[in-house]
Amino acid sequence: MASWQIKNVALRGVTGTVPNHAVKTADFPFFTQEEADLFDATVGIKNRYIAPEDICASDLCLDAAERLIEGLGWEKESIDVLLFTSVTGDYKTPPTSAILQDRLGLPTSTFVLDLPMGCCGCLYSITVAGNLLTAGTAKRALILVGDTAMRMGNPKDKSRGPLFGDSGTALALEFDTTAEDIIIDFNTLGSGYQALMTPHGGYRHPISQESFIEEDFGNGIIRAPKDALINGMNVFSFAITRPATSVKKMMEEQGLDKNNDIDYFLIHQANKLIVDRLVKKLKLPVEKVPYNLQEFGNLGGASILMLMTSEIANELSAKPLTLLCSSFGLGLTWATAVLHTKPMLVIPIKKM
């Protein structure tokens, strides 16, 4: 299928919220100081913010949304679309977006939708919301992207635990006939789904006594079937090949020169090894590739929006930019997008 071409949709504002509790790599009990130093140097994740058990992804997103709505001066009655993108919703049912509609005080006419699409969730959400806005029937959309991914895994799992941080982000979109087209390309390799998954807890394998039996896989990998897992080698191989091909294809099809036409490459902050490999493989100008994983870790679907907020806020606020975004993760899925932004509101990240 050809890329999605979304007309008449502008990005108006973005912000993010993280928990107040910071965790350094050396704080994990399964790391020696030497191992923590090596992890920091190679994986590049030195700090991450972890939510306590009584704070959900929806709470972090709610805070980001309230601040963004206030900063934009939007009347809540004017918001037509609310999307919540997360793999850590409040409940299996109902959809968390419905709960957030009430908590935010949005009108009952608001179109709500949950999108549990993982690391590509932001670009999926922009596509869905953008297509709802493009004809002008709906005028304003709020996209909330966040996860409390740490609690999905086993705290003893050395292969997964140190990679993730928790956050909530908010992005505002608005119908605007002067906006340049948003271009997004999606791909799915469903045959690789087992590389990133939570084996038990759905209806294929419901929770049972067996779900809680831990197994030691060696090398510090301890988990039970109820815990999320990462097949590191499979994920690494996927992440450094498929997304790179799509980024190259997107630049060629859109006639974009990496040195002259693109202001920033926003690459999903999975880990430094993957991002560095993509930069090298695509021969990207390093000054155009911001990193924030050293401070926040892998934020899943919120990664792109948090890069906007933490690393290029001044530029986004001051002038038009052309951004090339690349995300990859659960599914296995990967997405590439070209976003042309006008000066927009960027509200500083808050800790709560």
Side-chain angles (χ1 to χ4, degrees):
M1 178 180 174
S3 300
W4 291 92
Q5 186 173 4
I6 304 168
K7 298 180 178 296
N8 306 326
V9 176
L11 280 66
R12 292 298 192 223
V14 66
T15 192
T17 300
V18 296
N20 197 41
H21 179 51
V23 177
K24 304 294 182 183
T25 303
D27 294 336
F28 288 98
F30 45 65
F31 278 133
T32 66
Q33 185 61 55
E34 183 179 358
E35 289 173 328
D37 292 342
L38 179 61
F39 183 93
D40 289 349
T42 56
V43 180
I45 300 170
K46 301 179 180 181
N47 184 71
R48 69 285 289 153
Y49 296 91
I50 307 301
E53 290 295 325
D54 61 341
I55 290 182
C56 292
S58 62
D59 300 317
L60 298 170
C61 286
L62 178 73
D63 179 81
E66 291 279 20
R67 292 187 296 113
L68 185 58
I69 293 169
E70 180 180 1
L72 289 167
W74 281 7
E75 295 293 332
K76 291 186 176 181
E77 291 73 19
S78 72
I79 298 173
D80 304 300
V81 176
L82 174 67
L83 304 186
F84 177 67
T85 302
S86 179
V87 293
T88 54
D90 288 10
Y91 307 100
K92 280 190 175 181
T93 59
T96 304
S97 54
I99 299 171
L100 284 167
Q101 172 269 329
D102 176 65
R103 293 181 71 187
L104 284 166
L106 303 186
T108 57
S109 58
T110 304
F111 177 96
V112 301
L113 184 67
D114 279 21
L115 290 166
M117 293 307 298
C119 299
C120 289
C122 173
L123 298 186
Y124 271 95
S125 295
I126 289 174
T127 304
V128 172
N131 277 287
L132 290 168
L133 295 179
T134 188
T137 304
K139 300 294 186 182
R140 288 175 171 172
L142 197 61
I143 293 171
L144 306 183
V145 188
D147 284 299
T148 48
M150 178 66 75
R151 66 187 62 166
M152 293 175 63
N154 192 306
K156 304 173 188 175
D157 188 351
K158 201 174 185 177
S159 69
R160 185 189 184 280
L163 297 176
F164 291 92
D166 299 337
S167 71
T169 59
L171 174 69
L173 303 180
E174 188 169 29
F175 176 75
D176 182 350
T177 58
T178 69
E180 293 192 58
D181 293 355
I182 296 171
I183 310 295
I184 305 185
D185 173 71
F186 290 99
N187 291 274
T188 305
L189 185 69
S191 61
Y193 77 95
Q194 292 181 335
L196 292 161
M197 71 177 302
T198 306
H200 286 198
Y203 294 101
R204 180 68 63 187
H205 294 287
I207 289 291
S208 64
Q209 289 184 341
E210 178 192 355
S211 304
F212 295 87
I213 299 174
E214 293 183 342
E215 183 176 352
D216 189 339
F217 295 88
N219 299 316
I221 302 173
I222 300 172
R223 61 173 181 261
K226 69 173 181 60
D227 300 320
L229 64 84
I230 295 176
N231 185 320
M233 291 306 297
N234 287 1
V235 172
F236 184 80
S237 177
F238 154 72
I240 66 172
T241 53
R242 304 275 183 162
T245 300
S246 292
V247 169
K248 185 177 179 181
K249 177 185 174 185
M250 177 69 81
M251 288 192 291
E252 290 174 350
E253 290 183 346
Q254 298 302 315
L256 295 170
D257 180 82
K258 60 190 173 188
N259 295 303
N260 299 313
D261 299 323
I262 298 169
D263 294 294
Y264 289 103
F265 295 85
L266 303 184
I267 300 174
H268 168 53
Q269 303 286 283
N271 65 55
K272 187 175 185 295
L273 293 168
I274 290 174
V275 179
D276 283 353
R277 185 66 67 90
L278 289 173
V279 171
K280 183 177 180 180
K281 193 167 190 176
L282 291 164
K283 299 179 180 178
L284 302 180
V286 294
E287 69 277 7
K288 293 186 176 186
V289 184
Y291 290 68
N292 69 1
L293 56 83
Q294 67 279 3
E295 175 64 14
F296 300 103
N298 183 339
L299 297 178
S303 186
I304 298 296
L305 297 185
M306 197 64 90
L307 275 173
M308 291 182 181
T309 310
S310 69
E311 304 305 308
I312 59 171
N314 291 339
E315 292 90 338
L316 277 173
S317 301
K319 61 184 180 181
L321 295 178
T322 297
L323 310 174
L324 193 147
C325 307
S326 174
S327 294
F328 39 88
L330 294 181
L332 297 168
T333 57
W334 65 104
T336 309
V338 176
L339 307 177
H340 300 283
T341 68
K342 299 177 180 179
M344 58 189 283
L345 176 67
V346 183
I347 299 176
I349 296 166
K350 177 186 171 183
K351 297 177 183 178
M352 66 169 283

